[in-house]
Structure formats: structure tokens, C-alpha cells
Amino acid sequence: MKNRLKVLRAERDWTQADLANALQVSRQTANAIEKGKFDPSLPLAFKIARLFNLTVEDIFIDDEKT
Amino acid sequence: MNDIKHDDMDCTQQNKTQLLSLALWTLAWVASTALLRFGAEYIWDYHPAYSISALITHLALGFAMIMVNVKHLANLDELQRKITMDAMGITLGVGLIAGIAYEQLEDIKLITFEPEISHLIMIMGITYILSILIGNGKYK
């Protein structure tokens, strides 16, 4: 699943380690989600959305819709 | 730069602490296995009371190791848990398939020696390590 995490993170000048720490996941997991290699669970997706004050749909793009 | 909340102990540090704890309990269990096997032969000359004590210690340490492993799994993040659970599933499958096939080898006279459980444990150990490495490589 594609996402806008890299852009959102860059806008805030956060490193992947900062993001991983805020989400309480490993840097490997933050990196895998950002690269679209791993789809987060619904609770983690909502946690990411809350962190950026956005909705899940604002961050994650449904591949089947594109 | 927007401020971001930092925890005192991040996820990686927590995992390292838990892995160290798991390694120590596993080491204690392995030591108790050696004590159970070789203690009876070389230290207490198969005295039943000592052997039973060593067996109880061995089982108790094994149970503790399982509980530490369960706690370790529960504290992993979702990707790490997926990688670990995938590796465990593959290891269980390989262990079952290889174990049954290996056991049959003697029955169908393809090998002349009796199959050893230690060989199966080695195969499972190698399978688990390889599965973890491949899993981690996949999500790098």
C-alpha cells in the first residue's frame, strides 16, 4: 500500500528514528511501512494518523483505487 | 522542527534488553540439560534423588524460558512479530516434515544408525535462524 509518510515526515523535519520512536515501533518497521513493504495494522494506522493530525485516508492510498 | 515525544527507552533498546533476558534463560536451560545428562553419569552416579532434582530444575527452567519467550513475542512490534511468527511456522513445518522423513529412513533401511533427536533440533535451529534472516532482509 502506498503512503505519504516520507513527505509528511520530511515536512516536519523528522528522521525515521523520530517517527519510529513516536509510534513505539522499531526503525525497521517505520522504514518498511514508509516504503510500502509492510502494511500496518488498523490500530497502528490510526496511531500514525493521530500523530500527523490527519485521517488514515489522507496518509494511505488504496492501491485498488489508483 | 516540530517537537516529537521521545521515550526514555526506545523500542530497539527494549528489544535488546528482552533478547538478553531470553538468551540468559535459554543458556540456563541448556546448562540444566547438560547437568541432567552428564551429572547423572559423572557427578552423582545415577542417584535417583539427584536425578529427579536435576530433572525438576531442567523442567522449571524450560518453563521459565517459554514464559520469557512469550513475553518477548508480546513486546515485539507488529512487523517483528510477523517475521518471528513466520519463522516459527516455517520451523515447525520443516521440523515436522524432516522429523517424520528422518524417522522413516531407518525403517526403510536407507540409514543404518538410529535417528537422533539432536539432529532434528539442529535442523530446526538452522531453519529458524535462516527464516529470521530472510524475513529481516525482506523488510529492510
Side-chain angles (χ1 to χ4, degrees):
Chain A
M1 192 185 291
K2 288 175 190 166
N3 62 72
R4 294 178 52 228
L5 270 181
K6 193 172 183 179
V7 175
L8 293 168
R9 185 169 61 75
E11 282 171 1
R12 285 154 182 83
D13 202 17
W14 290 350
T15 64
Q16 266 188 357
D18 289 332
L19 179 65
N21 197 46
L23 296 172
Q24 292 177 301
V25 298
S26 63
R27 214 177 73 80
Q28 179 192 21
T29 301
N31 180 53
I33 295 171
E34 192 176 289
K35 285 185 174 176
K37 287 183 176 179
F38 175 69
D39 294 336
S41 66
L42 210 46
L44 184 55
F46 277 116
K47 197 172 183 178
I48 294 167
R50 273 198 304 274
L51 182 68
F52 289 107
N53 289 319
L54 294 167
T55 65
V56 171
E57 292 88 343
D58 290 333
I59 300 172
F60 294 96
I61 301 129
D62 185 358
D63 286 335
E64 289 182 18
K65 271 190 177 177
T66 56
Chain B
M1 177 180 162
N2 294 358
D3 280 342
I4 197 164
K5 197 178 160 189
H6 281 268
D7 291 331
D8 289 339
M9 190 185 253
D10 69 21
C11 193
T12 312
Q13 282 174 313
Q14 274 180 9
N15 284 348
K16 279 183 184 169
T17 310
Q18 284 159 9
L19 267 178
L20 181 66
S21 170
L22 183 59
L24 290 174
W25 279 103
T26 305
L27 199 65
W29 176 76
V30 170
S32 77
T33 310
L35 182 71
L36 180 64
R37 173 65 184 84
F38 298 113
E41 194 175 344
Y42 298 110
I43 303 173
W44 58 79
D45 194 26
Y46 299 99
H47 193 290
Y50 290 113
S51 292
I52 290 168
S53 301
L55 178 66
I56 291 169
T57 305
H58 173 65
L59 291 174
L61 285 171
F63 181 73
M65 182 183 71
I66 292 168
M67 296 317 290
V68 172
N69 202 10
V70 168
K71 192 179 168 196
H72 169 64
L73 269 177
N75 285 316
L76 290 176
D77 72 35
E78 52 193 65
L79 175 59
Q80 292 168 329
R81 196 175 306 130
K82 176 183 164 39
I83 292 169
T84 307
M85 297 299 273
D86 284 354
M88 285 179 166
I90 292 166
T91 304
L92 179 66
V94 168
L96 183 72
I97 303 300
I100 289 173
Y102 186 42
E103 203 269 334
Q104 300 289 332
L105 289 180
E106 193 196 14
D107 298 340
I108 60 173
K109 312 283 184 209
L110 280 178
I111 56 169
T112 52
F113 57 92
E114 196 175 335
E116 295 275 348
I117 189 79
S118 57
H119 295 160
L120 183 61
I121 291 168
M122 279 190 273
I123 288 172
M124 290 177 77
I126 291 165
T127 306
Y128 181 74
I129 290 167
L130 283 177
S131 303
I132 289 283
L133 289 175
I134 292 167
N136 276 310
K138 191 176 163 187
Y139 294 106
K140 228 171 189 177

